[in-house]
Structure formats: structure tokens, C-alpha cells
């Protein structure tokens, strides 16, 4: 149902306003019972996608040219990372720096103001939302992943990259 809603929303906005609406999900990957990197995908990742993913590591500082993900919640460890067992709806701030040079893909989303996806220039690029059920949504051998956020770019004049674009550009 969620995919149908997103599809209808995308088609409706694109038709009405000539927008290209892109979206991606931020996943927290865990391997061998260890909290490891974040990955970005359009939908649910597959086992093959894990090997093809660009890993974005947790950090307390992702400013400037420091790529990675900074996450703040009441259940934080010392590296700017939200503990994987936390309910994603308890996350207060997620800052994502996927690419620090042109094109700059650096956004922050804030729970206290409804999860807008805010760029470095304080403009809103879209909206994000945590999953409604905080549980692993993906398993592959000893790896599993939690969806932390789903972000949709829905602002005129702002084109949010798809997860495939993010992974492709970083790898090239």
C-alpha cells in the first residue's frame, strides 16, 4: 500500500508540476552482531546489493568534506551513531553527507519540526519519515538492516538523487 501511495504521489506531482520526485531509504547495516555502516537504497536491499553498496560510516562530525552519517537520539553511543536497537522514531537528528563536492548531497533532518530534509543552505529539499515498525526488515546470512528513514524529494526546483545515483556517483 505504501509503494502504491508513493507511486501515485510521484505521478501526481510530476504530472501537475513537471517535477521529478526521487526518494531513498537510509538503512543501518549490522554484520556479525556489530553495528556497522549505513547504506542507501531506493527500496529494500537484497543480498547482492549489500556488496554493491557504498558504505557511509557513523561519525560525530560529517561537516565539510567528511562523508558519513551523524545520528542523534537519547540512545547514542560515543561516535554520533544511534544504537541499532533504538526505535527509529526516537531519533532526533540525522545528518547525511553523501557527497561533499558538486553535486553536494548533504542534508539534515530534524524530528522536532516534522522531519524536513534540509540542505546546507537551509532550504527544504523534501521530507523524511521513520518506519512505523522498528524491526529488522532485511536479513542476509549474518547481516541484517534496519530502515532508519525514508526520504522523498518533493520540492519544486530541488532534485533529490535516487539511491542508485548516490551509489553510482560515489563508486565512479
Amino acid at each position: 500500500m505504501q509503494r502504491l501511495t508513493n507511486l501515485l504521489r510521484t505521478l501526481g506531482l510530476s504530472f501537475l508540476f513537471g517535477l521529478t520526485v526521487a526518494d531513498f531509504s537510509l538503512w543501518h547495516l549490522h554484520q556479525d552482531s556489530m553495528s556497522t555502516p549505513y547504506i542507501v537504497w531506493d527500496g529494500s536491499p537484497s543480498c547482492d546489493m549489500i556488496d554493491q553498496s557504498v558504505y557511509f560510516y557513523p561519525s560525530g562530525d560529517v561537516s565539510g568534506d567528511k562523508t558519513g552519517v551523524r545520528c542523534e537520539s537519547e540512545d547514542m553511543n560515543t561516535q554520533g551513531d544511534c544504537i541499532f536497537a533504538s526505535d527509529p522514531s526516537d531519533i532526533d537528528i540525522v545528518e547525511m553527507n553523501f557527497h561533499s563536492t558538486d553535486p553536494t548531497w548533504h542534508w539534515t533532518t530534524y524530528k522536532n519540526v516534522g522531519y524536513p530534509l534540509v540542505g546546507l543552505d537551509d532550504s527544504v529539499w523534501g521530507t523524511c519519515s521513520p518506519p512505523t515498525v522498528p524491526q529488522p526488515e532485511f536479513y542476509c546470512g549474518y547481516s541484517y538492516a534496519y530502515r532508519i528513514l525514508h526520504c522523498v524529494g518533493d520540492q519544486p526546483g530541488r532534485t533529490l538523487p535516487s539511491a542508485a545515483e548516490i551509489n553510482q556517483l560515489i563508486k565512479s
Side-chain angles (χ1 to χ4, degrees), residues 12-34:
L13 286 173
S14 297
F15 176 76
L16 290 174
F17 301 107
L19 297 177
T20 302
V21 179
D23 66 337
F24 62 83
S25 290
L26 181 66
W27 295 80
H28 203 182
L29 180 64
H30 304 275
Q31 298 172 316
D32 299 324
S33 300
M34 294 177 55

Side-chain angles (χ1 to χ4, degrees), residues 3-148:
R3 285 185 182 201
L4 177 59
T5 302
N6 284 342
L7 177 62
L8 292 174
R9 181 177 176 200
T10 300
L11 292 174
L13 286 173
S14 297
F15 176 76
L16 290 174
F17 301 107
L19 297 177
T20 302
V21 179
D23 66 337
F24 62 83
S25 290
L26 181 66
W27 295 80
H28 203 182
L29 180 64
H30 304 275
Q31 298 172 316
D32 299 324
S33 300
M34 294 177 55
S35 176
T36 50
Y38 292 90
I39 58 174
V40 178
W41 280 103
D42 294 317
S44 297
S46 68
C47 292
D48 292 338
M49 290 177 178
I50 295 300
D51 293 333
Q52 299 168 15
S53 295
V54 174
Y55 288 2
F56 297 99
Y57 289 92
S59 175
D61 180 9
V62 295
S63 63
D65 63 352
K66 300 175 201 107
T67 59
V69 175
R70 179 179 65 91
C71 184
E72 292 183 12
S73 80
E74 291 181 18
D75 297 328
M76 279 181 52
N77 70 24
T78 58
Q79 298 175 15
D81 189 18
C82 296
I83 293 174
F84 67 89
S86 297
D87 181 341
S89 66
D90 289 338
I91 295 171
D92 298 315
I93 297 172
V94 177
E95 181 180 6
M96 301 162 274
N97 186 352
F98 298 141
H99 199 253
S100 59
T101 58
D102 192 24
T104 301
W105 293 334
H106 189 158
W107 304 281
T108 305
T109 188
Y110 305 89
K111 176 183 178 178
N112 67 338
V113 290
Y115 298 103
L117 188 61
V118 180
L120 290 176
D121 61 355
D122 291 329
S123 62
V124 176
W125 285 65
T127 55
C128 297
S129 59
T132 55
V133 179
Q135 63 185 13
E137 297 181 44
F138 163 76
Y139 292 92
C140 181
Y142 291 105
S143 300
Y144 61 96
Y146 284 86
R147 186 186 318 252
I148 299 296

